[in-house]
Amino acid sequence: MSRVLVTGGLGGSGRWIVDRLADDGHEVMCVDQRFAESERGNVDVRVADLTDRGDVFDLVGAFDPDAVVHWAAIPDPLDHPGGEVFENNIVSTYNVLEAAGRADARVVWASSESALGFPFAAETPAPDYLPIDEEHPLRPEDPYGASKEAGEALARTTVRRHDVPVVSIRPSWIQYPGEYVCLGNEPPAEGVGNFWSYVDVRDIASIVAAALEADVEGHEAVFAVADENYGDRETTELFEEQFGSVPEPCDLSGDDASISNAKAADLLGWEPDHSWREAADEDVDGPTV
């Protein structure tokens, strides 16, 4: 059993991550902006402002974690002023990663597919090639995507400064069993920012668990994406209809996802277990935290 500090642990996907790590036998400190009672003996909930360096260093220093999962953030630029989104996300990421590095703790944190620059672009361009992989250029033009690109720069800085491994997970559009809001979602006139990709929240919890166990050195960024698109059509057909052509080179067949999860399989031994075809109508118990 190891000690894992999870930020944003009471959020939509954070709760599933905390539950998974607790199920795996880890001692978990769940940190969020609000308090909730935990009925689990190996989960301790704490309240902190992650933009306050003193709060972060105090909690991390006292808990002395073996690993830190940084999952807290303002998740998009639409509900808050742009400057607040960027400042909150980048300051909290610096504080958490720096504190983790000083504690000699390995780090897994939530970057985003938004770092590519497509989801919140004013006019979504087609990607340079298909499937998109971790080598695709990052071109964000919104404060959320920019905060994630900058966060990955901080991740590399943490590796160089403290010699701890950092995995930047880039989730696609996270869906919840029985609540797949992506289905029936028509793309806006200017394009679809995630190119019909998604990922189940349970697969997010499993990739975080896999990243904590994997033999990773330095900094690695990996996409977390389901195997297929949610459009229930051939992916190239969707691109033809939306953009008038298919990016080349293109190595896709059928309803293959536009974003590749191959690196996560190779590096972390992770593959998604859930598809919209079954998960959209599933009735499962949610996390206990």
Side-chain angles (χ1 to χ4, degrees), residues 11 103 141:
E141 58 184 66

Side-chain angles (χ1 to χ4, degrees), residues 28-50:
V28 181
M29 177 179 282
C30 170
V31 180
D32 212 294
Q33 290 182 314
R34 58 191 174 90
F35 181 76
E37 294 288 347
S38 171
E39 298 179 359
R40 307 192 64 143
N42 59 338
V43 176
D44 182 19
V45 179
R46 299 294 181 93
V47 176
D49 176 2
L50 298 181

Side-chain angles (χ1 to χ4, degrees), residues 13 28 62 90-91 127 157 190 229 232 240 242 266 268 270 284:
S13 55
V28 181
I90 200 62
V91 171
T157 298
E190 66 271 17
N229 70 58
D232 198 22
E240 284 279 7
Q242 190 67 32
D266 292 341
L268 308 179
W270 173 86
V284 302

Side-chain angles (χ1 to χ4, degrees), residues 17 69-71 107-113 148 152 166-172 199 203-212 219-225 264 268 270:
I17 293 169
V69 176
H70 177 43
W71 217 253
V107 178
V108 177
W109 80 286
S111 182
S112 173
E113 66 179 4
K148 295 305 182 178
E152 291 192 19
V166 182
V167 178
S168 298
I169 295 177
R170 298 174 179 173
S172 190
V199 64
D203 290 325
I204 287 298
S206 70
I207 196 173
V208 169
L212 289 175
H219 171 254
E220 298 286 355
V222 295
F223 285 110
V225 190
L268 308 179
W270 173 86

Side-chain angles (χ1 to χ4, degrees), residues 179-280:
E179 301 179 34
Y180 265 54
V181 298
C182 63
L183 299 182
N185 184 273
E186 293 297 326
E190 66 271 17
V192 55
N194 64 355
F195 308 118
W196 307 276
S197 295
Y198 74 98
V199 64
D200 190 282
V201 69
R202 293 165 291 182
D203 290 325
I204 287 298
S206 70
I207 196 173
V208 169
L212 289 175
E213 298 297 330
D215 184 15
V216 175
E217 295 183 1
H219 171 254
E220 298 286 355
V222 295
F223 285 110
V225 190
D227 287 331
E228 68 288 310
N229 70 58
Y230 61 74
D232 198 22
R233 294 163 58 189
E234 291 195 6
T235 307
T236 53
E237 180 182 322
L238 291 168
F239 272 93
E240 284 279 7
E241 181 177 298
Q242 190 67 32
F243 296 99
S245 63
V246 178
E248 294 291 345
C250 175
D251 185 18
L252 296 177
S253 63
D255 65 351
D256 285 354
S258 302
I259 302 175
S260 172
N261 55 32
K263 182 178 178 182
D266 292 341
L267 183 70
L268 308 179
W270 173 86
E271 293 182 357
D273 289 327
H274 303 281
S275 167
W276 65 265
R277 289 181 171 84
E278 297 80 30

Side-chain angles (χ1 to χ4, degrees), residues 88-134:
N88 175 86
N89 291 357
I90 200 62
V91 171
S92 62
T93 299
Y94 171 81
N95 289 344
V96 173
L97 267 61
E98 177 65 16
R102 294 188 186 190
D104 197 31
R106 64 187 300 128
V107 178
V108 177
W109 80 286
S111 182
S112 173
E113 66 179 4
S114 294
L116 291 165
F118 299 117
F120 298 108
E123 295 186 9
T124 305
D128 294 2
Y129 55 83
L130 291 171
I132 300 165
D133 61 16
E134 288 78 6

